[in-house]
C-alpha cells in the first residue's frame, strides 16, 4: 500500500486549486499559501508568529477535506462547519508525525487579517486569469471585490468595525481597531492595480474615495 498523500504536508501542497472552475494556469495550494503569507506580511508586518503559522497552514487540512467552492460553504453553513472540523482534525493529525506547529488559537481580529489576505490573494488570482484571457475568471474578481469592499468599508458587514463618539460632538463615527491594516490593504490593492493596469472593476479604495 502506498503512502497516504492526504496526510503528508508536502503532497498536500501539490493539490490543485480551482479544480471546479476553468483556469488558464493551474495553481497549487502551496502557491496560494505562500501568497497569502506574502500579502499578510505586506498589510500587517508586525503580526505575531502564530498569525504567520496560521496563514501558512490554514488550508493544510484540504488534503483530507477537499476544497469546496466558496459559494457552497457560504450557502450551506452546516456543511461549512463540518468541513472546517475535518480540516482542523487533519491538521492535528500531522502535528506529531511531521513536526508541524499546532493550530494556533487566534483572536477574531487575527483570523480576520488572514482572511483579508486570503481574499486579496483570490482577487489577484482572478485578475491574473482575466489578464491571461480567461473571461470566466471575472466572477472570481467580482466575488472577491464584493467581500473586500465589505471588509474595507465602514458600516458594512464582515469587518471588525465599531462606533465611537466623534471628539467634541454628539455624532458617531465608524472606527476600526486595525485601521492601519485596512489602510495598508488599500495601498497594496492600489499598487497591484497600477502595476497590472487594471481598471475594469472599481477597487475598495475607489469606493471609499467616492470615485464610483
Amino acid at each position: 500500500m502506498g503512502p497516504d498523500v492526504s496526510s503528508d504536508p508536502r503532497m498536500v501542497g501539490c493539490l490543485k486549486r480551482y479544480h471546479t472552475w476553468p483556469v488558464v494556469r493551474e495553481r497549487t495550494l502551496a502557491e496560494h499559501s505562500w501568497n497569502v503569507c506574502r500579502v499578510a506580511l505586506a498589510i500587517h508586518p508586525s503580526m505575531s508568529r502564530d498569525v504567520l503559522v496560521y496563514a501558512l497552514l490554514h488550508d493544510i487540512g484540504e488534503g483530507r477535506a477537499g476544497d469546496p467552492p466558496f459559494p457552497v460553504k457560504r450557502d450551506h453553513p452546516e456543511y461549512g462547519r463540518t468541513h472546517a472540523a475535518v480540516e482542523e482534525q487533519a491538521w492535528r493529525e500531522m502535528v506529531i508525525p511531521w513536526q508541524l506547529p499546532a493550530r494556533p488559537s487566534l483572536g477574531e481580529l487575527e483570523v480576520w487579517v488572514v482572511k483579508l489576505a486570503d481574499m486579496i490573494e483570490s482577487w489577484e488570482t482572478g485578475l491574473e486569469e482575466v489578464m491571461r484571457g480567461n473571461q470566466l475568471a471575472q466572477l472570481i474578481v467580482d466575488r472577491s471585490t464584493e467581500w473586500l469592499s465589505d471588509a474595507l468599508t465602514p458600516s458594512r458587514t464582515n469587518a471588525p468595525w465599531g462606533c465611537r463618539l466623534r471628539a467634541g460632538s454628539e455624532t458617531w463615527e465608524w472606527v476600526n481597531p486595525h485601521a492601519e491594516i485596512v489602510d495598508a490593504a488599500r495601498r497594496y490593492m492600489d499598487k497591484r492595480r497600477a502595476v497590472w493596469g487594471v481598471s475594469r472593476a472599481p477597487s475598495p479604495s475607489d469606493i471609499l474615495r467616492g470615485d464610483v
Side-chain angles (χ1 to χ4, degrees):
M1 180 181 295
D4 179 6
V5 299
S6 70
S7 58
D8 182 332
R10 178 182 176 87
M11 300 308 297
V12 170
C14 298
L15 295 177
K16 296 177 183 178
R17 286 180 55 79
Y18 297 101
H19 58 280
T20 65
W21 201 258
V23 292
V24 173
R25 182 176 75 82
E26 290 186 346
R27 293 163 182 82
T28 65
L29 187 147
E31 178 185 352
H32 165 71
S33 298
W34 181 85
N35 277 310
V36 170
C37 287
R38 178 182 59 79
V39 173
L41 285 167
I43 66 177
H44 188 24
S46 63
M47 67 182 175
S48 68
R49 177 184 183 275
D50 281 351
V51 178
L52 186 59
V53 166
Y54 182 71
L56 179 64
L57 301 178
H58 71 284
D59 282 339
I60 198 169
E62 289 182 358
R64 181 76 54 78
D67 183 19
F70 166 71
V72 174
K73 292 184 285 187
R74 179 196 61 197
D75 298 338
H76 303 278
E78 184 175 350
Y79 172 79
R81 288 190 292 270
T82 300
H83 180 267
V86 174
E87 280 193 302
E88 186 172 350
Q89 177 65 25
W91 185 341
R92 282 200 300 268
E93 292 177 1
M94 292 186 215
V95 169
I96 294 177
W98 293 106
Q99 299 166 266
L100 290 178
R103 182 187 177 106
S105 178
L106 301 180
E108 180 183 354
L109 292 176
E110 293 174 312
V111 173
W112 179 80
V113 167
V114 176
K115 181 63 177 179
L116 177 59
D118 193 351
M119 294 304 294
I120 290 175
E121 197 282 326
S122 175
W123 174 76
E124 287 185 311
T125 296
L127 290 177
E128 182 190 341
E129 280 290 311
V130 171
M131 289 169 59
R132 290 175 180 271
N134 182 5
Q135 296 304 311
L136 295 174
Q138 185 61 43
L139 183 61
I140 300 172
V141 176
D142 293 343
R143 285 174 175 167
S144 302
T145 299
E146 180 181 6
W147 192 96
L148 290 163
S149 296
D150 283 346
L152 302 179
T153 305
S155 78
R156 302 257 179 126
T157 56
N158 69 17
W161 295 82
C163 285
R164 71 180 178 192
L165 279 173
R166 196 184 309 274
S169 74
E170 297 182 356
T171 60
W172 291 86
E173 63 182 353
W174 288 97
V175 295
N176 190 316
H178 283 288
E180 71 282 0
I181 297 172
V182 171
D183 289 341
R186 295 173 191 159
R187 292 194 303 271
Y188 178 91
M189 294 180 70
D190 284 344
K191 174 67 174 179
R192 174 57 65 204
R193 295 174 76 241
V195 169
W196 281 354
V198 176
S199 59
R200 174 171 180 172
S203 73
S205 296
D206 295 328
I207 295 170
L208 286 164
R209 288 193 299 262
D211 293 344
V212 295

